[in-house]
Amino acid sequence: MTIAVPVTIAVARPERPDVTVNGICFVALGDSITAGLGDGVSMGRYRRAHADRALAGRGWAAALAASLAPADQVRFANLATTGATTKDVRDSQIPVARTLRPQIVSMIAGMNDIMSPGFDPLRLRHNLVWGVRDLRADGIWVLMARLHDPGRLLRLPGPARRLLTTRVGQLNAAVDAAAAADPGVLVVDLARHPDIYQLSTFDVDRVHPGPRGHQLIARAFAEALCKAGIPLLALPKMGPPTAAPTRLAHARWMAQVGVPWLLARPAAPIRRRAERIRAERRQSSPAPGWSISATTGSLPTVDRM
């Protein structure tokens, strides 16, 4: 069954991608949601250094790429990395994406910003608004999403739940500001999707989409592109409903992964700064050969589907 999802689209349309000449290039930007976490690989169940290998080919972005055109006419690069903030996306991912000359770019980010003790809603808005403007300056179609409130699924104390709800609202307001009625920016309102607050939609952490959640996101963006007049090879397939992770599994995950992760959040900015310094040192002394690197981790090459 096709589920209608609210999409922000203006009347006027920018130029549609022409896949008949050189094919279509789709680049996905963002954090772990787009990297594919939850689609068969749970948070904390893989080594961070091996994230690219563990998540390769997983997630909604890969499913959407496969639906755009025949395999020999699609180039797809997923530059999203686990833990990425909107600053990481703007400073590290967008510059690389623009060199690939894509027709379509997705950008879902902000959850790591709002989980930070030093969250700044103005900085978040700035990064999203100017990131989108940089992409639109190249004539790129941009896909964005208004996100759900994880506080409605997590058992949090009242003050923490209300704070999270407020910050998610600020994130979604920033997404709206970045779109700014631009017909080349398609915004899918996942927060209003009828299945978004079903536990079966999410992985055991109840934050990252599970396999069915990734299917829902891919389907929502595919329908948005169709409504914008961009023909697709086919809509992404939807598998049968799956059982939600049990309460016991969620409690075990919280004890083993969730609580330690939350306790480590105040130290995250220091750790990320150290990672940037190490990356800069590696770039100053490159090994023989040519490669692409970024402060948020190694970036996958552009692969044909």
Side-chain angles (χ1 to χ4, degrees):
M1 179 180 67
T2 300
I3 300 175
V5 178
V7 179
T8 302
I9 302 177
V11 176
R13 301 275 192 260
E15 183 178 353
R16 298 183 181 89
D18 182 3
V19 303
T20 61
V21 180
N22 297 314
I24 188 168
C25 181
F26 167 43
V27 177
L29 311 177
D31 52 29
S32 54
I33 293 176
T34 300
L37 203 60
D39 188 10
V41 178
S42 298
M43 178 180 173
R45 304 305 188 196
Y46 66 95
R47 293 184 181 275
R48 186 178 179 87
H50 301 156
D52 289 346
R53 184 169 57 191
L55 300 175
R58 300 181 184 272
W60 68 264
L64 179 62
S67 72
L68 293 176
D72 61 349
Q73 296 181 26
V74 177
R75 289 184 300 128
F76 168 56
N78 193 339
L79 305 186
T81 54
T82 58
T85 63
T86 55
K87 185 179 189 303
D88 295 323
V89 172
R90 186 186 177 200
D91 292 350
S92 301
Q93 296 181 19
I94 289 179
V96 177
R98 295 177 73 182
T99 66
L100 302 178
R101 302 180 65 84
Q103 292 97 336
I104 301 174
V105 166
S106 67
M107 187 169 71
I108 299 180
M111 275 296 183
N112 287 304
D113 295 68
I114 68 176
M115 294 292 186
S116 171
F119 172 62
D120 184 343
L122 293 180
R123 185 181 299 122
L124 168 71
R125 178 183 290 245
H126 177 86
N127 290 332
L128 289 180
V129 168
W130 286 100
V132 168
R133 289 187 182 182
D134 288 344
L135 294 170
R136 291 294 298 131
D138 292 345
I140 299 169
W141 286 78
V142 180
L143 308 179
M144 303 186 75
R146 304 181 83 255
L147 300 179
H148 74 291
D149 178 5
R152 292 177 57 178
L153 297 171
L154 300 172
R155 299 175 66 87
L156 299 174
R161 184 172 61 251
R162 288 190 291 273
L163 177 61
L164 183 57
T165 298
T166 297
R167 289 186 174 185
V168 171
Q170 292 171 321
L171 168 57
N172 287 335
V175 170
D176 293 338
D182 184 337
V185 183
L186 308 183
V187 180
V188 170
D189 196 348
L190 296 176
R192 293 174 57 192
H193 194 287
D195 289 342
I196 200 63
Y197 290 110
Q198 300 292 326
L199 291 179
S200 59
T201 300
F202 291 90
D203 196 26
V204 66
D205 59 16
R206 300 185 181 179
V207 175
H208 294 94
R212 183 165 178 79
H214 281 281
Q215 293 173 0
L216 291 174
I217 297 173
R219 184 68 169 249
F221 277 121
E223 292 180 351
L225 289 169
C226 288
K227 289 182 180 180
I230 300 175
L232 272 64
L233 177 66
L235 290 176
K237 295 181 179 179
M238 292 292 300
T242 56
T246 65
R247 291 185 178 181
L248 178 60
H250 175 67
R252 185 182 296 115
W253 180 89
M254 284 295 297
Q256 296 176 349
V257 180
V259 172
W261 180 83
L262 288 171
L263 294 176
R265 291 301 291 171
I270 298 175
R271 184 174 63 252
R272 295 177 68 80
R273 177 58 182 166
E275 291 175 351
R276 290 192 179 98
I277 293 175
R278 287 196 296 269
E280 290 170 357
R281 289 175 178 174
R282 286 196 299 268
Q283 290 177 350
S284 64
S285 301
W290 182 87
S291 63
I292 298 178
S293 62
T295 58
T296 55
S298 59
L299 299 179
T301 57
V302 181
D303 298 323
R304 285 195 175 273
M305 295 295 296

